[in-house]
């Protein structure tokens, strides 16, 4: 294992793949299937080349190289963060033992399941976003979309490497399945709900990269704690790439809010749909949707699965080493969100059973940061309107609130009232049609669509009007 990626190999890697011929051959036979998948399910807009970053090094400094490349020739590779030979397991019943370099037989099924679920989301998001290139608001945004897409492709490689290297024939079969399931497919859908939803427009894309990619950040953060060292090191490096995806979402929504606020001030009205921008209440509805769908990705408020993962050392907590407790949690309790006597409330359960809630709360606190930013933009524009995260019980399909309906401010309402009111909370067909009508492509250097403000900075020190994407 080295810091530096070997790009002379067919599959760039820093895991000394050439030393394991069988594994190398197995991955080389998966590679054409991946490329076929990319060609048939990846970005549909024809391009010559794109200004992309490629990982060349996993160390702290200078890990990426930027340059124009045709996307199909992107060097997807296998990169693990550096190994710490003294690393010990940080939590659960094996706390203090050396981290595992191989998969213990008794945890094989659970580890494989976690890796498959993680792996399944990566190509799913590429599929969801495949048509967005045709309506990009600028070449800068188009480039960011493609950067996110190639890196999600690389994250699929990361999980496939683990499946091939550590899970034998079953792992290889799962790696094939990752290319066969497809987002939104009737027969073989993606595993988690949010990854079967459409990403039909750029407001959805920015919301997805803000809220759903952020679930990825938190899930990867817990897998980075794993006792299974190759998984831990894989996730550590993925998190580095993930930071750019968060930036795309955060600043994307910044720019939509900024432009809407400008037009609200200029026209002195909230009703800005006719002025070619997205009204604030539509932005709020999109936020409500993507946030609530992403909350579902954390699983049930209580879960024996997650308790078992933690106790076994497979999946830790966010920032496990900063927690001031015994890192075993066998005697601890947590108040989880619940329906109690027909009301939205909380109930106390063992801390282990409540770990999905613990992670979801870390995530919610992080999401508040975005809302604060966007509200600052509104405030600076002199507007009194604000955006807000809806209540944790709102629009949930997984967990304690799956069977009830709640308003964004957390009032439990009967199903009939919900049916009548949901158009005020979630995007309606009219909202979606309007948003889509604004999505006219701007593929000219230095130009930008009227519904979004330009970015404050370009990529890698380049100006906004740089030729980020060379179209066919
Ligand atoms: N949809 O015990 P429970 C990312 C199932 S995003 C459908 O509460 P658990 C990315 C569950 O499988 C991060 N089904 O669940 C972002 C279970 O089924 P079984 C992805 C669901 O296991 C953007 C049953 O319901 N990574 O990286 O505690 C772009 C009972 O559930 C859902 C991970 O998620 C759902 N939403 O927790 C690109 C990490 N939720 O066993 C990439 C790996 C639950 O009864 N996964 N179910 O058949 C995990 O850690 C856990 O499996 C989960 C669920 C957090 C997903």
């Amino acid at each position: 294992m080295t810091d530096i990626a070997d790009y002379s190999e067919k599959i760039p890697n820093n895991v000394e793949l050439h030393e394991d011929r069988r594994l190398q051959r197995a991955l080389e036979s998966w590679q054409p299937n991946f490329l076929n998948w990319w060609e048939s399910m990846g970005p549909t807009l024809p391009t010559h080349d794109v200004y992309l970053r490629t990982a060349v090094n996993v160390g702290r400094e200078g890990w990426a190289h930027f340059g124009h490349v045709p996307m199909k020739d992107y060097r997807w590779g296998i990169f693990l963060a550096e190994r710490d030979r003294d690393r010990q397991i940080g939590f659960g019943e094996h706390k203090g033992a050396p981290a595992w370099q191989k998969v213990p037989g008794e945890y094989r099924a659970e580890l494989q399941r976690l890796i498959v679920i993680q792996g399944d989301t990566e190509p799913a998001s590429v599929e969801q976003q495949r048509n967005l290139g045709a309506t990009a608001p600028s070449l800068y945004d188009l480039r960011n979309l493609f950067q996110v897409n190639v890196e999600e492709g690389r994250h699929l490689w990361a999980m496939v490497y683990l499946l091939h290297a550590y899970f034998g024939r079953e792992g290889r079969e799962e790696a094939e399945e990752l290319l066969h399931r497809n987002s939104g497919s009737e027969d073989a859908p993606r595993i988690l709900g949010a990854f079967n939803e459409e990403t039909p427009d750029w407001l959805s894309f920015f919301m997805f990269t803000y809220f759903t990619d952020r679930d990825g950040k938190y899930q990867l953060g817990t897998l980075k704690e794993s006792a299974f060292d190759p998984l831990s090191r894989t996730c550590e490096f993925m998190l580095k790439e993930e930071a750019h995806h968060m930036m795309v979402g955060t600043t994307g929504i910044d720019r939509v809010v900024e432009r809407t606020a400008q037009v609200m001030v200029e026209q002195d009205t909230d009703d800005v749909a006719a002025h070619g921008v997205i009204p604030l209440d539509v932005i709020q509805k999109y936020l409500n949707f993507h946030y609530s769908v992403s909350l579902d990705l954390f699983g049930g408020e209580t879960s024996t699965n997650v308790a078992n993962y933690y106790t076994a050392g497979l999946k830790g907590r966010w920032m496990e080493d900063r927690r001031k407790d015994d890192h075993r949690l066998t005697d601890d309790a947590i108040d989880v969100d619940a329906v109690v006597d027909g009301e939205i409330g909380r109930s106390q359960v063992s801390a282990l059973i409540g770990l999905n809630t613990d992670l979801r709360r870390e995530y919610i606190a992080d999401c508040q940061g975005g809302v604060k930013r966007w509200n600052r933009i509104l405030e600076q524009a002199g507007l009194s309107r604000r955006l807000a995260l809806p209540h944790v019980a709102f629009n949930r399909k997984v967990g304690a609130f799956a069977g009830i309906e709640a308003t964004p401010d957390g009032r439990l309402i009967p199903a009939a009232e919900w049916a009548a009111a949901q158009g005020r909370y979630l995007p309606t067909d009219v909202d979606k049609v309007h948003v889509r009508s604004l999505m006219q492509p701007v593929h000219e250097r230095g130009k930008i669509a009227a519904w979004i403000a330009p970015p404050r900075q370009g990529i890698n020190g380049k100006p906004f009007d740089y030729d980020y994407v060379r179209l066919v």
Side-chain angles (χ1 to χ4, degrees), residues 113-114 117-118 121-122 193 212 215-216 296 300 303 305 315 356:
R113 176 175 184 269
L114 286 171
I117 294 179
Q118 180 62 48
T121 62
E122 314 290 359
T212 308
D215 166 52
D296 275 344
S303 161
N305 282 344
K315 186 180 177 191
N356 284 344

Side-chain angles (χ1 to χ4, degrees), residues 113-115 117-119 121-123 125 128-129 148 152 155 191-195 208-209 212-217 219-220 222-223 238 242 245 293 296-307 309 315 356 359 398-399:
R113 176 175 184 269
L114 286 171
I115 292 168
I117 294 179
Q118 180 62 48
T121 62
E122 314 290 359
S125 67
Q128 288 171 294
Q129 296 163 13
V148 168
E152 300 301 6
H155 291 178
I191 299 170
L192 298 175
F195 294 90
F208 184 96
T209 40
T212 308
D213 275 279
R214 193 169 306 272
D215 166 52
K217 168 180 159 186
Q219 299 292 349
L220 291 172
T222 65
L223 296 176
M238 288 164 76
E242 207 63 51
H245 309 186
V293 162
D296 275 344
L297 291 173
F298 291 83
E301 274 60 25
T302 58
S303 161
T304 49
N305 282 344
V306 78
Y309 295 152
K315 186 180 177 191
N356 284 344
L359 189 62
V398 173

Side-chain angles (χ1 to χ4, degrees), residues 151-439:
E151 282 174 356
E152 300 301 6
R154 205 202 68 71
H155 291 178
L156 171 61
W157 269 97
M159 293 300 127
V160 165
Y161 164 70
L162 294 174
L163 290 170
H164 272 229
Y166 297 96
F167 294 89
R169 191 162 61 86
E170 263 185 62
R172 291 193 294 277
E173 284 167 8
E174 289 288 4
E176 290 301 325
E177 287 304 308
L178 289 171
L179 298 175
H180 288 150
R181 280 187 295 273
N182 289 142
S183 177
S185 155
E186 290 269 318
D187 320 327
R190 292 297 176 181
I191 299 170
L192 298 175
F195 294 90
N196 289 304
E197 299 286 347
E198 285 181 29
T199 311
D201 59 69
W202 280 75
L203 181 58
S204 301
F205 172 64
F206 293 134
M207 292 288 174
F208 184 96
T209 40
Y210 188 84
F211 290 108
T212 308
D213 275 279
R214 193 169 306 272
D215 166 52
K217 168 180 159 186
Y218 280 81
Q219 299 292 349
L220 291 172
T222 65
L223 296 176
K224 178 175 87 85
E225 304 292 340
S226 183
F228 179 42
D229 205 41
L231 174 61
S232 164
R233 288 163 50 212
T234 297
C235 292
E236 186 175 338
F237 187 63
M238 288 164 76
L239 278 165
K240 226 173 204 180
E241 291 168 315
E242 207 63 51
H244 173 262
H245 309 186
M246 311 277 107
M247 184 286 281
V248 169
T250 310
T251 59
I253 303 174
D254 283 357
R255 292 159 55 213
V256 176
V257 172
E258 182 183 335
R259 185 67 191 123
T260 293
Q262 265 171 12
V263 175
M264 283 169 76
V265 170
E266 275 164 25
Q267 303 294 330
D268 194 21
T269 175
D270 288 359
D271 191 9
V272 288
H275 300 285
V277 296
I278 306 173
L280 216 49
D281 54 5
V282 175
I283 297 176
Q284 178 68 60
K285 289 191 215 178
Y286 272 67
L287 185 160
N288 289 350
F289 174 75
H290 286 272
Y291 174 70
S292 55
V293 162
S294 301
L295 289 183
D296 275 344
L297 291 173
F298 291 83
E301 274 60 25
T302 58
S303 161
T304 49
N305 282 344
V306 78
N308 294 335
Y309 295 152
Y310 186 85
T311 303
L314 311 183
K315 186 180 177 191
R317 283 173 295 174
W318 179 251
M319 300 279 172
E320 183 68 46
D321 53 358
R322 295 205 195 153
R323 306 286 185 123
K324 303 249 178 304
D325 51 35
D326 70 356
H327 303 275
R328 294 178 199 269
L329 309 181
T330 45
D331 302 324
D332 299 346
I334 182 177
D335 278 339
V336 296
D337 304 295
V339 177
V340 186
D341 301 330
E343 297 288 326
I344 294 172
R346 286 193 171 185
S347 70
Q348 199 177 67
V349 299
S350 105
L352 287 167
I353 296 286
L355 281 171
N356 284 344
T357 296
D358 178 80
L359 189 62
R360 185 166 17 241
R361 285 185 186 150
E362 294 287 337
Y363 167 83
I364 291 172
D366 195 0
C367 290
Q368 290 287 1
V371 173
K372 227 168 127 185
R373 274 175 84 103
W374 307 322
N375 284 339
R376 207 175 311 127
I377 294 170
L378 293 172
E379 191 184 343
Q380 282 167 355
L383 296 167
S384 58
R385 293 275 309 270
R386 297 290 179 264
L387 295 166
L389 295 179
H391 192 274
V392 70
F394 170 78
N395 193 38
R396 294 288 303 281
K397 305 283 181 269
V398 173
F401 303 116
I404 60 131
E405 299 301 351
T407 60
D409 52 8
R411 209 164 35 83
L412 205 148
I413 53 171
E417 196 180 327
W418 166 263
Q422 66 163 306
R424 294 208 306 273
Y425 310 142
L426 292 169
T428 61
D429 288 343
V430 172
D431 298 329
K432 292 182 201 170
V433 167
H434 176 249
V435 170
R436 263 190 243 192
S437 75
L438 299 177
M439 302 289 136

